[in-house]
Amino acid sequence: MEIKRSGAALSKIVQIGEKLKMLSARSGEEYLPLNRGVNAVVNIDLREVVAQMDFNSNDIQVYPPGPGFPALRQAINDEYFGGLSSPDNILISAGGMNALDLVVQAVGMGKLYLPVYYWGCYFQMLTVRGIGNAEYMAQSDLEGMIPELQGNAVLICDPGNPLGEKYDDERQFALIQKLDAAGITVFFDSPYRRIFYDRTDDYYQRLMQLKHVVITESFSKSVGLSGQRLGFIHTTNKALHDELEIRLMYCTNGVNAFAQQLILRLLTTPEGIRAAQAFKEATARDIARNIDYLKQRGLLAGEFYDASTPKGIFVVVNRTEEELLAHRIGSVSLSFFTKSRKEEAARYARICVSAPHEKFVAYFDRVE
């Protein structure tokens, strides 16, 4: 049969994970898998939450609504948008990647502009969909690029992946306002933000007022449920919403009902709110401690954070993937995350800093 090849490649991160498993099996020694984008400080404790769920109910055993359960969309409106948006602006997706994939399919654009250091799946997703891409070096460059950006779209991920850089909210919002006023579509992808913020954070409420901004989010990082594959899209553009709803229906026929009901309870019940808060507090605490440790040891590649702060679940260290592997630490060469700066980036590695602090230190104390 004839195969329609996408031209995309399987994730190197997955390949590194398989390599670590093989090395561990051969040596009998544990490797620290910081190549993954998984919050591993603690698992979220779901026992009290799941005990309240009726697995025999139609909410779990029947096809869910195409755009997502109304109660969940309202809970997201309350949690992320202070109740000031509408459930009709929110669509439930099968994770953050599915949200982005649907959006780039549905929005007309010449190219999608990505940061010079970007999550590799962005590029592979665009390759599969036959959409061109270009790059920007830093957020501060985007204002001067407005003429070039006309007819295209910009992706902003903050805190970022792979660098874990967090830009100042006020400067970033002022920039997005200027892009929006120029009619440039902005995809704001921020799956890491809500690890560090709670419902008092009003940033999404401000972004939702900008008509050319589409927000994509997920619960993979913020409550540690990457295995449930649940996210959402927020747009105030009714034509885009309606097209996304059609694509969602024929892509998923309704997103996992159990995952939706689970997240609903994490957002709305006392047991769920306690579980999510405990998870976030432990995760944010050890991320901060691990970043501080890397700074003290001189291992953090500080040159990447001149205009930002290392805040997310990833950072870049001034050691190579091979140097870290020699100390049984899994990482990913920064060269995997860029097209134009591979030679320079090969001197660095991206690591996930969402790991138990004592274990993290025990491994990195061996690194010279």
Side-chain angles (χ1 to χ4, degrees):
M1 68 180 71
E2 181 182 355
I3 307 299
K4 295 181 179 179
R5 298 194 180 278
S6 66
L10 288 175
S11 172
K12 184 182 177 184
I13 298 169
V14 174
Q15 295 172 10
I16 292 171
E18 294 302 314
K19 180 179 180 179
L20 296 181
K21 291 176 185 175
M22 179 191 69
L23 291 172
S24 180
R26 284 182 182 175
S27 66
E29 296 183 301
E30 183 181 8
Y31 283 69
L32 189 62
L34 303 185
N35 54 297
R36 306 177 303 169
V38 176
N39 282 314
V41 175
V42 294
N43 288 333
I44 186 168
D45 187 346
L46 298 174
R47 287 172 293 183
E48 290 187 1
V49 181
V50 173
Q52 306 299 319
M53 297 180 68
D54 179 4
F55 289 84
N56 294 321
S57 73
N58 284 343
D59 283 341
I60 290 178
Q61 296 198 8
V62 175
Y63 287 120
F69 284 108
L72 176 57
R73 289 184 285 125
Q74 181 60 56
I76 290 170
N77 179 32
D78 293 339
E79 176 73 22
Y80 288 80
F81 301 95
L84 300 176
S85 186
S86 165
D88 293 335
N89 295 330
I90 296 166
L91 294 151
I92 304 302
S93 64
M97 187 183 294
N98 177 237
L100 279 166
D101 184 37
L102 288 163
V103 167
V104 300
Q105 290 178 53
V107 174
M109 69 185 103
K111 297 177 181 177
L112 180 59
Y113 277 70
L114 303 172
V116 68
Y117 293 105
Y118 58 85
W119 182 41
C121 291
Y122 290 149
F123 173 73
Q124 302 296 349
M125 175 185 64
L126 293 172
T127 300
V128 169
R129 297 302 175 189
I131 298 171
N133 65 90
E135 66 182 27
Y136 61 91
M137 186 63 200
Q139 287 189 18
S140 58
D141 296 335
L142 286 170
E143 183 177 354
M145 295 170 63
I146 285 177
E148 175 186 343
L149 295 173
Q150 295 293 335
N152 300 300
V154 174
L155 186 140
I156 291 178
C157 180
D158 183 81
N161 177 4
L163 303 184
E165 77 281 28
K166 175 74 190 76
Y167 283 91
D168 176 77
D169 279 351
E170 296 307 315
R171 291 182 184 176
Q172 180 175 257
F173 184 72
L175 167 66
I176 296 174
Q177 279 184 306
K178 291 174 182 176
L179 296 174
D180 181 74
I184 295 163
T185 299
V186 175
F187 302 145
F188 191 80
D189 181 44
S190 186
Y192 315 105
R193 183 180 182 92
R194 278 304 180 98
I195 300 169
F196 309 100
Y197 297 86
D198 59 24
R199 66 187 303 159
T200 62
D201 176 37
D202 69 350
Y203 200 61
Y204 288 143
Q205 297 173 38
R206 298 167 69 189
L207 287 175
M208 77 179 188
Q209 300 173 43
L210 306 179
K211 66 188 240 181
H212 299 292
V213 174
V214 181
I215 298 170
T216 58
E217 251 283 8
S218 88
F219 299 97
S220 297
K221 304 301 187 291
S222 61
V223 290
L225 291 176
S226 53
Q228 295 306 315
R229 309 309 307 132
L230 200 77
F232 69 85
I233 302 165
H234 180 280
T235 176
T236 56
N237 185 311
K238 188 176 186 308
L240 175 58
H241 176 281
D242 291 349
E243 178 61 25
L244 289 169
E245 185 172 351
I246 292 168
R247 291 175 184 257
L248 258 173
M249 172 56 66
Y250 294 112
C251 172
T252 66
N253 200 18
V255 176
N256 188 305
F258 168 75
Q260 291 196 56
Q261 292 299 318
L262 178 60
I263 296 298
L264 173 61
R265 283 156 178 78
L266 289 177
L267 296 179
T268 61
T269 68
E271 298 85 3
I273 292 168
R274 282 198 303 271
Q277 183 177 356
F279 170 82
K280 291 182 180 187
E281 288 176 353
T283 299
R285 179 200 65 218
D286 277 20
I287 286 174
R289 294 171 72 190
N290 291 339
I291 293 174
D292 285 344
Y293 167 83
L294 292 172
K295 288 179 181 177
Q296 293 166 13
R297 289 285 321 279
L299 295 170
L300 184 74
E303 55 268 40
F304 289 97
Y305 306 101
D306 290 338
S308 62
T309 302
K311 174 110 181 175
I313 76 167
F314 302 108
V315 298
V316 174
V317 294
N318 50 24
R319 298 293 188 274
T320 67
E321 179 184 320
E322 293 75 20
E323 288 173 324
L324 294 179
L325 187 61
H327 298 284
R328 305 204 312 277
I329 300 170
S331 67
V332 187
S333 173
L334 188 59
S335 62
F336 174 71
F337 300 97
T338 183
K339 287 197 304 177
S340 63
R341 297 179 177 265
K342 286 188 176 296
E343 184 175 351
E344 173 191 352
R347 298 186 287 116
Y348 303 92
R350 185 205 77 169
I351 62 170
C352 178
V353 286
S354 185
H357 179 63
E358 290 75 15
K359 189 172 189 178
F360 187 92
V361 169
Y363 276 81
F364 274 92
D365 271 350
R366 309 167 188 162
V367 179
E368 298 178 355

